[in-house]
Amino acid sequence: TRIYVRGILELLQHFSIKGVSHITGGGFYENIPRMLPEGLSAEILRDSWPVLPVFSLIQKAGNITEHDMYNTFNMGIGMVLACESVQEHEIIACLRDTGYQAYQIGSIIEGQEGVVLR
């Protein structure tokens, strides 16, 4: 298990983080909506980060739907942060400087769907 406290504490000293979601059991569909106010959803772009080949093996061997893969597993994403888009590049750089891989994987949109994968 990756521990994210060092990176999060560093970010909180320099940036305004709007939401944090640890992607554990419940995956994207259950965890990300918990950090969002009512009326907002997360639009996640599937091809915006490298997904480890093990997830394809699991999906194929278990005959698991894509929805269930994103609902059960983290697909290589352990933590999701919501921030102002103007700070995105600086936040990613800060995380990388502290030893974490970071990617811009989506955006917050109006809507009641929770998480939308594109």
Side-chain angles (χ1 to χ4, degrees), residues 44-60:
I44 305 296
L45 306 173
R46 287 185 199 96
D47 296 331
S48 59
W49 74 93
V51 176
L52 297 173
V54 68
F55 292 111
S56 295
L57 291 171
I58 292 169
Q59 185 174 14
K60 185 176 180 180

Side-chain angles (χ1 to χ4, degrees), residues 10-106:
E10 182 68 25
L11 290 178
L12 291 174
Q13 291 180 37
H14 306 286
F15 303 99
S16 174
I17 304 300
K18 304 293 185 181
V20 178
S21 179
H22 190 209
I23 309 303
T24 59
F28 286 67
Y29 295 110
E30 293 179 31
N31 293 309
I32 295 173
R34 290 185 187 130
M35 75 172 177
L36 300 175
E38 190 173 318
L40 296 178
S41 297
E43 180 180 56
I44 305 296
L45 306 173
R46 287 185 199 96
D47 296 331
S48 59
W49 74 93
V51 176
L52 297 173
V54 68
F55 292 111
S56 295
L57 291 171
I58 292 169
Q59 185 174 14
K60 185 176 180 180
N63 194 28
I64 302 171
T65 66
E66 180 182 69
H67 181 277
D68 287 345
M69 289 297 295
Y70 280 87
N71 194 54
T72 304
F73 301 102
N74 68 11
M75 304 303 287
I77 300 294
M79 177 86 49
V80 172
L81 305 174
C83 67
E84 295 288 337
S85 60
V86 297
Q87 294 183 326
E88 157 193 334
H89 297 291
E90 292 176 87
I91 288 172
I92 289 172
C94 181
L95 285 169
R96 289 182 178 167
D97 288 347
T98 56
Y100 297 92
Q101 287 294 321
Y103 310 93
Q104 194 276 347
I105 66 168

